[in-house]
Amino acid sequence: MNSDDLECFARVANCGSISRAALELGSDQSTISRQMLRLEASTCSRLFHRGGRGVVLTDAGRTLLEHARRVTETVEEARRAIHALSGNGPTELVIGAQATIARTIFGPIGFALRSRFPRTRLRFAEGTSGDMLSWLASGNIDLAVLYLPSQTAGLKIDTLLQEQLRLVVPGNQADVDDEFAVRRLGEVPLILPSARHGLRLLAESLASRVGISLHIAMECDASISVTKRLVQNGCGYTLLPLAAVAEEVASGTLRTARLVGADVTREVALATVRNRPGASELWSVIQAVRQQICSTVSDGGWPDAQLRG
């Protein structure tokens, strides 16, 4: 005996006809008949008198109908409660992102989620890829928007887009054209984070692919703002997405060159923990975040980004 069979039984009893109940349930008569036979077998009782004009409840059927209605009402209340919870969103939500991503999407995501889930208390966190993975595992954040990590065990990953990296130079650097060959990266002084950061690993992997050695003039594990200031002050060049330097490029304090001769992209993904308790509450939130990121890209708010699929 299960709730589906009891709901179906209550519908047949109310209709007084298996064929009419099948129409209301959007099913076929043979399926409904099998459910009723299965229910009679599980109760070891005949529940209906069947005739040419429909069905009539037996004494056992009338007794079961009282319980079936209570079960049906309970199931419907549960559905309404879950739907209401999904509509309201979780009580509290923590979203993490890496710095260059946070700069682009925290504003649009914050506005979208406040509009969609006004009762949810939002908190944003910024950190490295390693921070995101650690915070997800410990439950300190609910979901992360990050560059696709090499290790994804235990995570549910939804890859959203690809983003180009550019060579970033001081605004007055006249000897760098709008395009810069990847094979020449070894000729320029670079300011990059230390080896534990994903950007540095990507740059080293890229150099290995094209057979060059990078000239690391300076390492900077501080914020992206500090790295940009170092470039502005003539300490070297760096590699960043256009979205991370759009304001400085517009003001003329920085310039960018498109890298050519090799693929220099990173994939951006939404990450949550698999089998996380309460994950069902996050479903509508994740869809809202995903939709907002896609809209930001489509509307040109994430330059040099291309949606996947």
Side-chain angles (χ1 to χ4, degrees), residues 88-94 113-114 117-122 285:
N88 291 332
T91 303
E92 183 175 7
L93 178 69
V94 187
L113 292 181
R114 286 296 295 168
F117 307 106
R119 298 181 184 178
T120 297
R121 185 170 60 209
L122 291 172
V285 169

Side-chain angles (χ1 to χ4, degrees), residues 95-106 109 124-133 135-136 141 143-150 155 157 163 165 193 196-202 222-224 240-241 243-244 266-271 302:
I95 301 175
Q98 288 162 264
T100 52
I101 296 174
R103 176 186 178 92
T104 303
I105 53 90
F106 272 175
I109 286 177
F124 293 104
E126 182 181 298
T128 66
S129 176
D131 292 332
M132 296 300 110
L133 298 179
W135 294 342
L136 281 169
I141 62 177
L143 62 102
V145 188
L146 74 171
Y147 295 112
L148 189 64
S150 57
L155 297 178
I157 297 291
E163 182 185 46
L165 282 176
R196 70 186 182 91
H197 290 261
L199 179 59
R200 177 65 173 274
L201 294 173
L202 184 148
S223 67
I224 297 298
L240 286 173
R266 292 187 290 184
E267 292 183 309
V268 177
L270 272 173
W302 196 324

Side-chain angles (χ1 to χ4, degrees), residues 127-186:
T128 66
S129 176
D131 292 332
M132 296 300 110
L133 298 179
S134 175
W135 294 342
L136 281 169
S138 64
N140 288 333
I141 62 177
D142 298 299
L143 62 102
V145 188
L146 74 171
Y147 295 112
L148 189 64
S150 57
Q151 300 295 327
T152 60
L155 297 178
K156 184 177 180 181
I157 297 291
D158 182 9
T159 304
L160 301 178
L161 58 94
Q162 284 185 327
E163 182 185 46
Q164 296 282 336
L165 282 176
R166 292 189 176 216
L167 181 67
V168 181
V169 305
N172 59 2
Q173 195 75 32
D175 60 345
V176 175
D177 296 328
D178 292 338
E179 290 187 347
F180 192 87
V182 170
R183 67 178 182 277
R184 293 185 55 209
L185 282 177

Side-chain angles (χ1 to χ4, degrees), residues 203-249:
E204 296 284 2
S205 174
L206 177 64
S208 177
R209 289 206 316 268
V210 298
I212 63 172
S213 296
L214 298 178
H215 172 201
I216 306 299
M218 196 175 295
E219 290 185 337
C220 181
D221 289 341
S223 67
I224 297 298
S225 297
V226 174
T227 299
K228 291 189 291 186
R229 182 58 60 87
L230 290 171
V231 176
Q232 288 170 342
N233 289 345
C235 298
Y237 307 161
T238 193
L239 299 175
L240 286 173
L242 180 56
V245 295
E247 292 179 8
E248 291 80 6
V249 169

